[in-house]
């Protein structure tokens, strides 16, 4: 397969990549859209377009859903689980064989550092490997009804599943939805974000090359209004997996309600990282830094609130500021510490938060401004930022900024830290740093979040269920719970005497 250095050289010489797919992926092939319209895809690190892709319409969505319905009814639901397993295993291997291509495309599309993109691609391969092992182990229960009866349950695939994929983790989110849906026997129609269309298309092609029958996985590209909305409102879709904003999530729920379509929503977050006075200082500093600045803070589960015990606040924040100032910004292909944000529109949103904070007298101890790639003077960058001693009612502590901005809240003690952590409309994840494991697990029980990390932020992997509480959504992805999200349980009871 093509080496990353060769792909980077091609991009630098031509401004694009020859391996980029064209058209939607429907019925096992890249196909022409109903209307021959295209859109530009931008390289956030340079702020310029590097490719065009298909701008789909409702007609394209209808074609994709009809294709997946045929494939579900006639082929995929009845394929032996062990054969589904083999296809997913081959997909995992093909993803790794195409690691460099997928990672470079992901970097150009999303802006993230190449090493982060490579980690995402490896994680996608691991997702298919994990669910490949679960295909033939999805089994029901039997019930003790006495000698005259037999009772048992079976898990059936829910049917055609729609996947709305966000721009911050395109291949990761696609894989964590595609793999369990396919493992359960469902078919897939995906709509990637218009900012990052390419890796979902490439993934669908790899699945077909691994042996997935035609129509089992279809991908339609375009805007949310013209392709996403028709997909989530389609009467022949049986389940929707959506990752994105609360506002769009509400619209998805309303659309799904019309046909009583099942929904899993992974929405926003304003996740606290609780750092207590007895923590391992180096462990906590590294964890807090990575929690907010990975992918330029554009992570639903980013540790965007540092809730720190007052006794260590001054020294800890001073060291955190020093380390933040040392971070190197740059184009994702150069493997910087912090890459660009995804779009000029999003850059303006982040800047608006800090402009309002500055006008209100906030203590911005580092960063706080729009900047650029120091090597080229181009791109959509925001300085890694820390705002100290923010009150609980400030929008910086309450609203999701979705950028490299850390809000610091000062707690008097562990009980106060718990109160601050829970004083939030979101409940996606939380981090805890302390050497007292009893207290760590007490806090983990009391913090209202779908996942808790103790002494390592982003701990775990595909094996660990992931999802939110409160306005962070509901339902779970990853783990075996992610598999049962794509199943409907049927109970059977029979008199045998």
């Amino acid at each position: 397969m093509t080496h990353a250095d060769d792909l980077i050289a091609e991009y630098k010489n031509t401004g694009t990549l020859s391996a980029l797919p064209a058209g939607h992926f429907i019925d096992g092939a890249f196909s022409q859209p109903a209307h021959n319209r295209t859109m530009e895809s931008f390289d956030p690190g340079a702020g310029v377009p590097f490719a065009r892709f298909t701008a789909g319409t409702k007609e394209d969505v209808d074609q994709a859903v009809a294709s997946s319905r045929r494939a579900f009814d006639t082929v995929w639901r009845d394929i032996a689980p062990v054969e589904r397993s083999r296809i997913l295993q081959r997909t995992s291997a093909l993803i790794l064989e195409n690691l460099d291509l997928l990672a470079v495309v992901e970097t150009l599309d999303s802006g993230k550092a190449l090493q982060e993109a490579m980690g995402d691609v490896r994680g996608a391969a691991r997702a298919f490997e994990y669910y490949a092992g679960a295909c033939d182990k999805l089994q029901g229960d039997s019930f003790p009804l006495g000698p005259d009866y037999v009772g048992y349950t079976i898990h059936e695939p829910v049917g055609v599943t729609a996947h709305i994929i966000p721009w911050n983790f395109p291949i990761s989110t696609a894989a964590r939805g595609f793999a369990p849906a396919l493992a359960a026997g469902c078919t897939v129609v995906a709509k990637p974000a218009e900012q990052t269309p390419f890796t979902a298309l490439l993934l669908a092609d790899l699945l077909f090359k691994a042996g997935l029958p035609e129509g089992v996985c279809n991908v339609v590209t375009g805007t949310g209004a013209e392709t996403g909305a028709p997909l989530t409102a389609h009467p022949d879709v049986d389940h929707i997996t959506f990752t994105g904003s609360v506002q769009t999530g509400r619209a998805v729920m309303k659309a799904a309600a019309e046909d009583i379509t099942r929904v899993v929503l992974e929405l926003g977050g304003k996740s606290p990282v609780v750092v207590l006075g007895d923590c391992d200082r180096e462990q906590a500093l590294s964890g807090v830094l990575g929690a907010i600045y990975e992918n330029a803070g554009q992570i639903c589960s980013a540790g965007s609130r540092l809730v720190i015990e007052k006794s260590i606040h001054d020294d800890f924040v001073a060291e955190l500021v020093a380390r933040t100032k040392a971070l190197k910004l740059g184009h994702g292909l150069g493997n910087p510490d912090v890459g660009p944000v995804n779009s000029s529109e999003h850059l303006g949103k982040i800047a608006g938060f800090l402009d309002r904070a500055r006008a209100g007298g906030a203590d911005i101890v580092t960063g706080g401004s729009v900047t650029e790639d120091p090597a080229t003077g181009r791109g959509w960058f925001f300085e890694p930022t820390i705002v100290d001693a923010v009150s609980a009612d400030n929008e910086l502590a309450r609203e999701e900024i979705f950028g490299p901005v850390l809000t610091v809240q000062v707690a008097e003690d562990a009980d106060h830290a718990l109160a601050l952590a829970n004083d939030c409309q979101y409940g996606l994840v939380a981090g805890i740093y302390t050497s007292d494991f009893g207290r760590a697990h007490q806090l983990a029980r009391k913090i209202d979040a779908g996942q808790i990390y103790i002494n390592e932020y982003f701990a775990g992997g595909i094996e660990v269920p992931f999802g939110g509480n409160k306005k962070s959504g509901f339902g779970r992805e990853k783990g075996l719970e992610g598999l049962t999200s794509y199943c409907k349980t049927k109970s059977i009871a029979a008199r045998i005497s």
Side-chain angles (χ1 to χ4, degrees):
M1 292 297 148
T2 308
H3 193 273
D5 290 341
D6 297 327
L7 293 165
I8 293 170
E10 180 189 358
Y11 174 67
K12 289 181 177 178
N13 290 332
T14 67
T16 188
L17 293 176
S18 58
L20 293 173
H24 305 305
F25 192 89
I26 300 176
D27 278 332
F30 291 107
S31 62
Q32 291 301 310
H35 302 279
N36 195 25
R37 299 184 304 163
T38 61
M39 300 172 62
E40 290 180 321
S41 190
F42 285 81
D43 170 4
V48 296
F50 74 97
R52 300 193 72 88
F53 65 97
T54 297
T57 62
K58 181 180 183 299
E59 291 94 327
D60 301 314
V61 170
D62 289 343
Q63 181 186 354
V65 173
S67 168
S68 281
R69 174 57 63 189
R70 286 193 302 272
F72 178 74
D73 289 341
T74 63
V75 180
W76 189 242
R77 68 183 302 173
D78 294 324
I79 282 182
V82 67
E83 183 54 31
R84 293 202 295 268
S85 174
R86 289 166 181 152
I87 292 171
L88 297 190
Q89 285 282 18
R90 288 195 292 269
T91 302
S92 177
L94 283 173
I95 290 171
L96 293 178
E97 288 178 21
N98 289 272
L99 169 66
D100 286 8
L101 172 62
L102 292 166
V104 170
V105 171
E106 193 85 328
T107 292
L108 289 176
D109 235 0
S110 70
K112 66 178 57 184
L114 184 59
Q115 73 261 19
E116 292 182 17
M118 287 190 168
D120 291 351
V121 176
R122 292 188 183 97
R126 172 63 184 134
F128 281 95
E129 179 184 52
Y130 177 81
Y131 287 109
C135 291
D136 55 0
K137 301 167 188 68
L138 182 60
Q139 57 196 37
D141 295 314
S142 63
F143 310 124
L145 301 179
D148 296 330
Y149 298 89
V150 170
Y152 59 96
T153 59
I154 56 176
H155 294 297
E156 298 180 335
V158 68
V160 177
T161 63
H163 299 250
I164 308 298
I165 302 166
W167 50 257
N168 60 326
F169 280 91
I171 195 166
S172 294
T173 310
R176 81 181 187 195
F178 291 11
L182 297 171
C186 298
T187 55
V188 167
V189 181
K191 189 274 176 190
E194 55 262 41
Q195 297 89 344
T196 53
F198 291 117
T199 49
L201 291 166
L202 291 169
L203 180 57
D205 187 40
L206 291 179
L207 277 159
F208 182 70
K209 289 174 179 175
L212 199 71
E214 294 179 5
V216 176
C217 181
N218 296 313
V219 177
V220 178
T221 60
T223 66
E226 293 197 299
T227 54
L231 179 57
T232 55
H234 202 289
D236 215 19
V237 165
D238 301 301
H239 171 100
I240 302 165
T241 292
F242 172 82
T243 302
S245 69
V246 173
Q247 180 180 0
T248 308
R250 286 194 186 100
V252 169
M253 283 188 70
K254 290 177 181 178
E258 188 66 28
D259 291 296
I260 320 298
T261 304
R262 297 161 44 135
V263 180
V264 168
L265 298 178
E266 197 263 276
L267 306 178
K270 192 69 181 178
S271 299
V273 185
V274 176
V275 176
L276 301 182
D278 63 351
C279 69
D280 179 311
R281 192 74 59 95
E282 181 58 35
Q283 190 178 58
L285 283 164
S286 297
V288 170
L289 206 68
I292 186 58
Y293 297 131
E294 182 178 328
N295 198 26
Q298 299 168 121
I299 306 177
C300 297
S301 54
S304 54
R305 288 191 293 145
L306 169 59
V307 179
I308 186 165
E309 198 164 3
K310 185 177 181 180
S311 62
I312 62 168
H313 165 270
D314 293 353
D315 290 345
F316 191 96
V317 171
E319 177 61 21
L320 196 63
V321 167
R323 296 188 185 196
T324 299
K325 288 180 176 179
L327 294 173
K328 304 299 182 185
L329 276 66
H331 194 286
L333 292 178
N335 271 329
D337 296 319
V338 180
V341 300
N342 184 256
S343 67
S344 58
E345 179 185 13
H346 189 56
L347 182 64
K349 177 185 174 184
I350 297 169
F353 276 102
L354 272 297
D355 289 344
R356 292 190 295 273
R358 191 176 288 107
D363 185 10
I364 302 172
V365 291
T366 188
S369 299
V370 171
T371 186
E372 58 199 14
D373 182 350
T376 65
R378 300 193 299 174
W380 300 315
F381 291 82
F382 200 85
E383 294 173 341
T385 299
I386 299 174
V387 187
D388 198 12
V390 175
S391 63
D393 60 351
N394 191 294
E395 72 166 352
L396 294 184
R398 307 199 72 79
E399 301 296 332
E400 185 176 40
I401 301 171
F402 217 64
V405 179
L406 179 66
T407 296
V408 180
Q409 296 177 270
V410 183
E412 295 296 328
D413 54 26
D415 289 338
H416 187 207
L418 173 63
L420 289 172
N422 280 335
D423 186 13
C424 183
Q425 64 181 320
Y426 298 106
L428 189 53
V429 309
I432 301 168
Y433 285 87
T434 176
S435 60
D436 185 334
F437 283 94
R439 182 158 58 179
H441 288 283
Q442 289 170 350
L443 285 170
R445 286 185 175 184
K446 294 177 181 178
I447 293 175
D448 189 359
Q451 186 168 351
I452 308 294
Y453 305 122
I454 297 175
N455 290 336
E456 181 186 326
Y457 210 84
F458 299 130
I462 191 64
E463 303 87 351
V464 182
F466 178 80
N469 302 339
K470 298 189 279 190
K471 287 187 179 178
S472 291
F474 53 82
R476 293 297 181 263
E477 299 183 80
K478 300 169 56 177
L480 294 180
E481 284 197 52
L483 182 61
T484 56
S485 292
Y486 295 98
C487 299
K488 49 189 179 182
T489 300
K490 177 177 287 182
S491 299
I492 299 169
R495 184 179 181 92
I496 59 173
S497 67

